[in-house]
Amino acid sequence: MDKLEQEYLLKNKLEQDHAVMVRNLAKDGDDIVKSLTPQSAHLWHMASALCGEAGELFDAIKKFVIYEKNLDVNNVIEELGDVEFYLEGIRSSLEITRLETLANNVLKLDQRYG
């Protein structure tokens, strides 16, 4: 067997091993659905939507920084509002106040950076 064939077999085995690992480790969708409570479904919704909105905010900033487009401040405000909406959804579900969150963040950053 030549070097090219060996390399092909190693790559193929790695791909197969990885696929098996993912199948074994990934939680089954039916199990996830069965384990959902109204609160966990709400938190999942809020957190996943937060990620999407953070991506939209990032995209607006990227256009300004990387592509040197005019900064669409109205869009940034809109996306920040969407981020705040989903953060509040998470906080409310867990009975955490925004003030509690800010105070904790100030304390953490003060300890970390002085």
Side-chain angles (χ1 to χ4, degrees):
M1 183 179 318
D2 70 6
K3 186 176 178 177
L4 189 60
E5 288 173 316
Q6 286 178 331
E7 191 175 304
Y8 173 78
L9 290 175
L10 284 173
K11 286 181 183 179
N12 195 29
K13 180 170 177 9
L14 178 60
E15 287 178 351
Q16 289 174 358
D17 289 350
H18 187 264
V20 168
M21 181 186 69
V22 170
R23 279 193 301 276
N24 289 335
L25 294 177
K27 193 167 183 180
D28 182 72
D30 287 335
D31 292 340
I32 294 169
V33 170
K34 288 174 189 171
S35 72
L36 288 176
T37 65
Q39 183 185 30
S40 65
H42 174 74
L43 286 170
W44 181 272
H45 172 234
M46 292 290 112
S48 62
L50 175 61
C51 292
E53 296 302 336
E56 291 179 23
L57 176 61
F58 175 76
D59 193 51
I61 301 298
K62 178 185 72 176
K63 287 175 183 173
F64 173 68
V65 174
I66 301 301
Y67 301 112
E68 300 178 352
K69 304 278 185 179
N70 290 330
L71 182 60
D72 186 347
V73 176
N74 288 329
N75 181 245
V76 169
I77 292 169
E78 178 185 323
E79 299 308 337
L80 286 170
D82 292 342
V83 166
E84 287 287 344
F85 177 90
Y86 292 110
L87 287 173
E88 184 57 31
I90 293 169
R91 287 191 299 260
S92 294
S93 180
L94 299 174
E95 298 180 356
I96 299 168
T97 67
R98 186 168 192 271
L99 186 59
E100 205 176 350
T101 305
L102 295 175
N104 185 277
N105 186 248
V106 167
L107 181 63
K108 177 189 84 172
L109 295 176
D110 187 50
Q111 288 174 348
R112 184 176 295 168
Y113 300 109

